[in-house]
Amino acid sequence: MTTLDGIEVSTVHGPAPHGPRPIGTADWQIRVFHDEQDPAAMNAALKASVAGGAEALLVAHDDALDVRLAGIEVPVLFQSGPAIDAGEWVHCGATEAQQVALVLAAAVDRVRDGESLEGVEVRIQLDPTLFLNVAVLRALRRCWDDVMAALGLDHPLFVQVQTAPRSLTCRDAGNNVLRNTTVVVAAALGGADAIVSEPEPSLGEIAARVALNTQHVLKQESHLGRFRDPTGGSYAVEALTDEVAVAAWALFQQIEGDGGLAKAKGRVSTWLADARDRRGYRVNTRQRPILGVTVFPNLDDPPTARADGLDVYFELLRKQSDGWLREHGTRPVVALDCEGTLAQYGARATWVRNLLAAGGIEGVEGADSTVHIRVSGEGAWLGDRALTNDEDILDLLVDIWGEL
């Protein structure tokens, strides 16, 4: 796999890595994020999180604190508090190296403006890519130490990690639990100081409990909290860390060449827009498959309230399919005209059905439909259009919907 930063994620790397080994922490702080609007409702939710083993709470609202925080005895942090929060950059499309570079640039801008970094923590968001995330955290720590050394400051990095909302899907949301688990594991291995549990709303009343217990099991039963930098010395991880650090440092230098983050807004906006477009293209062509969305989608799976993930455009088609189902009693159907024996066309037909289901369309062999796809052991065709693995399936699905 090659990242949007051009970094090859592989078990075989070269040349040999260099640079000091990041250490980080071993025993991270278990946090839960709460954004309930109603003060009493938030208070009840906070107490439930504390009872479930939360070691600190991150809250979105700072009004009516006498109600919101009544009876809460663990540390409470506010989302608006002193922090360098990469969330907005990630929401706009930032890559892994860009996120590291922007955090460094934001820290330098604070010092340049006469502000202190004392007590300022870094909050980053990660996609569920295990070894890359470990490398990102280790690279961030290495680069942070280099920046502090250059500034003549002694402010050790305190980094909080949570799952990037863009990685979480509206359908087949049970997979979000696995995505969150992957991020927690990577954050623990990468030396995060705090990890935010991400409850999956589709689980209902047990959502917060599952999110917290994910961290408890990994920390207490899998013993991930007992070792500092457990991947240190791994050739693959050290090399990947080096590549992320080098890429991030180059971007950081470009920002500093413009005079700092405040003066590099145009450059940064261009970076983020380009990364967002390239990531979207990879999703649409299934170079970056999303389980339950672009691969192995379940047509009968109900939607959740999520609306800002990488599946957003596919979700629009799925909702259109839900409306079709309510109106007609069946899903929209495309006829599969299969040629040869099942042994010859079966695999390709399954591939086509998965492709169609990503847009809420059912592919049925021999069905009565205004749209037909010819399938054989040699390939699949919509009219004269050959369907390939490089197909922008979002464009294809929109075209098919237009013919239904």
Side-chain angles (χ1 to χ4, degrees), residues 310-328:
L310 294 175
D311 61 335
V312 58
Y313 295 114
F314 291 96
E315 181 55 27
L316 292 176
L317 298 181
R318 294 290 294 270
K319 288 181 178 177
Q320 189 169 322
S321 174
D322 292 342
W324 183 293
L325 176 63
R326 288 191 295 269
E327 181 178 350
H328 301 281

Side-chain angles (χ1 to χ4, degrees), residues 297 299 336 338 342 345-346 348-358 361-365:
L299 281 173
L336 304 186
C338 300
L342 178 61
Y345 69 73
R348 182 61 60 175
T350 298
W351 180 86
V352 172
R353 290 190 187 97
N354 277 325
L355 184 154
L356 294 171
I361 302 169
E362 191 171 2
V364 179
E365 186 175 349

Side-chain angles (χ1 to χ4, degrees), residues 21 131 134-135 138 189-190 228-235 237-238 241:
R21 179 188 300 176
F131 289 108
V134 173
R138 300 177 83 251
L189 296 178
R228 299 182 70 184
D229 199 22
T231 61
S234 160
Y235 189 82
V237 173
E238 294 285 2
T241 299

Side-chain angles (χ1 to χ4, degrees), residues 27-47:
D27 188 14
W28 69 90
Q29 185 182 66
I30 298 176
R31 294 182 177 180
V32 180
F33 174 67
H34 286 277
D35 62 353
E36 292 84 0
Q37 291 282 352
D38 180 70
M42 174 177 282
N43 182 255
L46 294 179
K47 288 180 176 177

Side-chain angles (χ1 to χ4, degrees), residues 344-345 348-349 351-352 373-381 387:
Q344 293 172 325
Y345 69 73
R348 182 61 60 175
W351 180 86
V352 172
I373 294 180
R374 183 166 61 90
V375 183
S376 73
E378 303 298 322
W381 296 265
L387 307 183

Side-chain angles (χ1 to χ4, degrees), residues 3-61:
T3 72
L4 294 176
D5 296 307
I7 297 170
E8 185 69 28
V9 181
S10 172
T11 55
V12 179
H13 286 270
H18 61 275
R21 179 188 300 176
I23 297 298
T25 188
D27 188 14
W28 69 90
Q29 185 182 66
I30 298 176
R31 294 182 177 180
V32 180
F33 174 67
H34 286 277
D35 62 353
E36 292 84 0
Q37 291 282 352
D38 180 70
M42 174 177 282
N43 182 255
L46 294 179
K47 288 180 176 177
S49 292
V50 173
E55 298 168 351
L57 301 167
L58 181 66
V59 299
H61 307 291

